[in-house]
Amino acid sequence: MDADVIVVGAGVAGLVAADRLVSAGQRVLVLEARDRVGGRTLTMPVPGFDGVVVDQGGQWVGAGQELVYAELSRFGLVTFPQSTGGGSALVVFRGKARRYTGRVPKLDPITLLDIGQAQARFDRLAATVDLAQPWRTPRAEWLDGQTFETWLRKTCWTARGRDFFRTATEAVFATLPANLSLLHALFYAASGTSLETLISTDGGAQQDRVLGGMGRLAERLAASLSGRIELNQPVRSIDQHDDGVTVTTETRSFNAGRVIVAVPPALAGRVVYTPALPAERDQLTQRTPHGGIIKCHAVYAEPFWRADGLSAEAASDTGPVKVAFDASPPDGGPGIILAFLDGPESLRLGALPEAERREAVLRSLTRFVGPRAMEPVAYLERDWNAEEWTRGCYGAHLPPGAWTQVGAALRAPVGRLHFAGTETAERWCGYIDGAISSGVRAATEVLTAAP
Ligand SMILES: Cc1cc2nc3c(=O)[nH]c(=O)nc-3n(C[C@H](O)[C@H](O)[C@H](O)COP(=O)(O)OP(=O)(O)OC[C@H]3O[C@@H](n4cnc5c(N)ncnc54)[C@H](O)[C@@H]3O)c2cc1C
């Protein structure tokens, strides 16, 4: 045996699972396809600015994500508020830009009333979701038998109200409401407290950033697992037999007693299993598509928008950039704007030559902070749709029928195989907090499983 337990995937979920198993005295080996750890978290230096970094993957930690705060503080990593620079946020709706402070964007009263009534109905339904077993939610088949878009068309009184939720859905799920089952939208929101929490900065999921970057968390976890992680080892097949499991990568084979597969379900479905996994599990992995994200950072000599009373936090109902934030370092230095290309826009722009995409992104940012947006001193982007070992972000979403028909296979172990990853989390599904809890849960499953 090469290890008691092999963990496939060195994202936060896999690293946390390995960490907890090692603490419990298990011999662990982590196999990672990439040449780095961290998966969907990745901190990169900004060229030309010593010590300045940007997070090209997951970056925020927010209200209710106690597991992330605890894990960060264990490694001495500190956070600072997203809203450091002050200034007004901006909403560009129907071509009209409006500044606002606080939580509620400045829209006309009828639209705000409509958003309020639809959100209240959504919250009432979300409160009924069984987070551990969404398919057991009251009226689960009815909720799962329609898309979020269908529900919005029935529920919102105004086109503007619908467009608000469409923009919010793209920002949160990186896909259109037409692609989500209503049950999934409700589950995901309840899993992260509420839709409002998911779209909010102060008191919400975008509350704090990590000094030095969120990528440090995976680096610290990996350092404490030193010698137990093999990089550049894409797992191609997993064979279960009477006395253990053989995991085969492109170049080597490894044996262990049990395996934790800590990769998103769609990618887990590309591994060849012997014997074949139960049909329900295979069908699940066929029905967990990813959203689409290109995360872009435009770097300027200074955060010039602050002199205009702007925070660089902006949302728009038209793209290509629909959501932007200030990503400048907290202690002076360059000004950095983070711009998301999400959903179908990310696929469309991802197919363009880099220079054209950059031009489109910067032009889009001029709507938020003016013409100086066109003259960055540096520009970085990461197309997560094109990344071989992610293939779209922020994570998986479930289309109609998937939760109620095959959802039970999401985290059910199969023989000596266990499943982790943020997609399997009950709380903060899709977020780093969910990745942590899933790693802890899978490690506990292994430790309590019959030998
Ligand atoms: C642009 C972006 C912004 C985000 N923003 C936030 C945020 O602000 N806050 C937040 O909480 N979350 C955010 N997220 C989501 C968050 O990053 C993820 O939920 C979390 O990192 C997922 O961790 P994981 O370990 O479950 O999966 P992953 O990080 O995807 O880890 C899976 C690992 O498995 C590896 N792998 C895949 N296939 C194989 C194979 N066959 N063999 C071996 N290894 C394999 C991958 O390389 C990867 O390292 C964001 C994500 C993205 C992409």
Side-chain angles (χ1 to χ4, degrees), residues 44-50 52-54 56 295-302 304-305 327-329 333-339 354 357-359 361-362 365 372-382:
M44 295 294 283
V46 175
F49 293 92
D50 228 19
V52 177
V53 296
V54 288
Q56 294 195 315
K295 193 170 177 182
C296 313
H297 288 95
V299 183
Y300 305 89
E302 56 179 6
F304 59 86
W305 50 89
S328 312
I336 306 178
I337 299 183
L338 150 62
E354 197 195 321
R357 184 166 53 250
R358 173 188 149 125
E359 166 86 12
V361 167
L362 297 177
L365 288 182
R372 287 175 76 183
M374 290 306 292
E375 286 150 22
V377 292
Y379 178 82
L380 296 88
E381 62 172 22
R382 183 152 298 256

Side-chain angles (χ1 to χ4, degrees), residues 139-402:
R139 298 194 297 156
E141 266 92 21
W142 181 77
L143 297 170
D144 206 27
Q146 58 187 305
T147 66
F148 187 30
E149 172 71 24
T150 318
W151 183 83
L152 287 174
R153 287 185 193 199
K154 279 187 302 197
T155 309
C156 290
W157 306 325
T158 65
R160 285 165 184 249
R162 276 191 291 280
D163 280 352
F164 170 85
F165 284 103
R166 288 181 184 131
T167 304
T169 304
E170 281 195 75
V172 169
F173 295 89
T175 195
L176 300 174
N179 294 327
L180 301 177
S181 120
L182 173 60
L183 178 59
H184 183 70
L186 296 166
F187 159 77
Y188 199 86
S191 166
T193 312
S194 68
L195 193 56
E196 188 176 355
T197 308
L198 298 189
I199 60 175
S200 298
T201 301
D202 297 331
Q206 284 69 238
Q207 182 168 274
D208 292 320
R209 292 194 279 150
V210 178
L211 203 59
M214 183 59 93
R216 282 188 164 186
L217 176 59
E219 284 165 17
R220 297 289 165 91
L221 278 162
S224 73
L225 290 166
S226 99
R228 297 183 179 91
I229 303 176
E230 295 272 357
L231 300 176
N232 301 304
Q233 294 294 330
V235 168
R236 296 298 187 191
S237 66
I238 301 180
D239 298 357
Q240 295 197 66
H241 33 84
D242 287 346
D243 47 352
V245 191
T246 303
V247 179
T248 304
T249 68
E250 276 172 4
T251 51
R252 295 162 68 183
S253 282
F254 303 88
N255 291 302
R258 288 188 176 267
V259 169
I260 294 176
V261 179
V263 311
L267 297 187
R270 296 176 185 183
V271 174
V272 176
Y273 300 87
T274 309
L277 295 188
E280 199 184 16
R281 168 74 199 179
D282 195 80
Q283 293 255 327
L284 172 92
T285 60
Q286 295 176 42
R287 297 172 75 172
T288 45
H290 291 184
I293 285 288
I294 303 176
K295 193 170 177 182
C296 313
H297 288 95
V299 183
Y300 305 89
E302 56 179 6
F304 59 86
W305 50 89
R306 291 183 189 167
D308 299 330
L310 288 168
S311 68
E313 185 176 329
S316 170
D317 59 340
T318 52
V321 176
K322 291 186 177 165
V323 179
F325 285 92
D326 191 331
S328 312
D331 45 6
I336 306 178
I337 299 183
L338 150 62
F340 285 108
L341 297 172
D342 46 31
E345 211 71 278
S346 73
L347 293 173
R348 188 177 69 77
L349 271 92
L352 296 180
E354 197 195 321
E356 276 180 48
R357 184 166 53 250
R358 173 188 149 125
E359 166 86 12
V361 167
L362 297 177
R363 198 159 293 290
S364 206
L365 288 182
T366 61
R367 297 171 308 155
F368 301 153
V369 293
R372 287 175 76 183
M374 290 306 292
E375 286 150 22
V377 292
Y379 178 82
L380 296 88
E381 62 172 22
R382 183 152 298 256
D383 181 350
W384 288 94
N385 310 340
E387 294 260 324
E388 182 178 9
W389 302 109
T390 300
R391 304 262 49 172
C393 272
Y394 308 101
H397 55 266
L398 273 65

Side-chain angles (χ1 to χ4, degrees), residues 8-15 31-34 36-41 56-61 65 68 205-206 214 233-236 262-264 267-268 271 293-295 340 384 389-390 392-395 420-423 428-435 438:
V8 180
V12 171
L15 293 171
L31 300 176
E32 166 56 47
R34 287 178 161 102
R36 63 170 182 86
V37 299
R40 281 173 270 178
T41 61
Q56 294 195 315
Q59 70 175 59
W60 286 293
V61 50
Q65 298 180 348
V68 190
Q206 284 69 238
M214 183 59 93
Q233 294 294 330
V235 168
R236 296 298 187 191
V263 311
L267 297 187
V271 174
I293 285 288
I294 303 176
K295 193 170 177 182
F340 285 108
W384 288 94
W389 302 109
T390 300
C393 272
Y394 308 101
T422 188
E423 280 76 15
W428 290 106
C429 175
Y431 289 77
I432 295 161
D433 199 89
S438 79

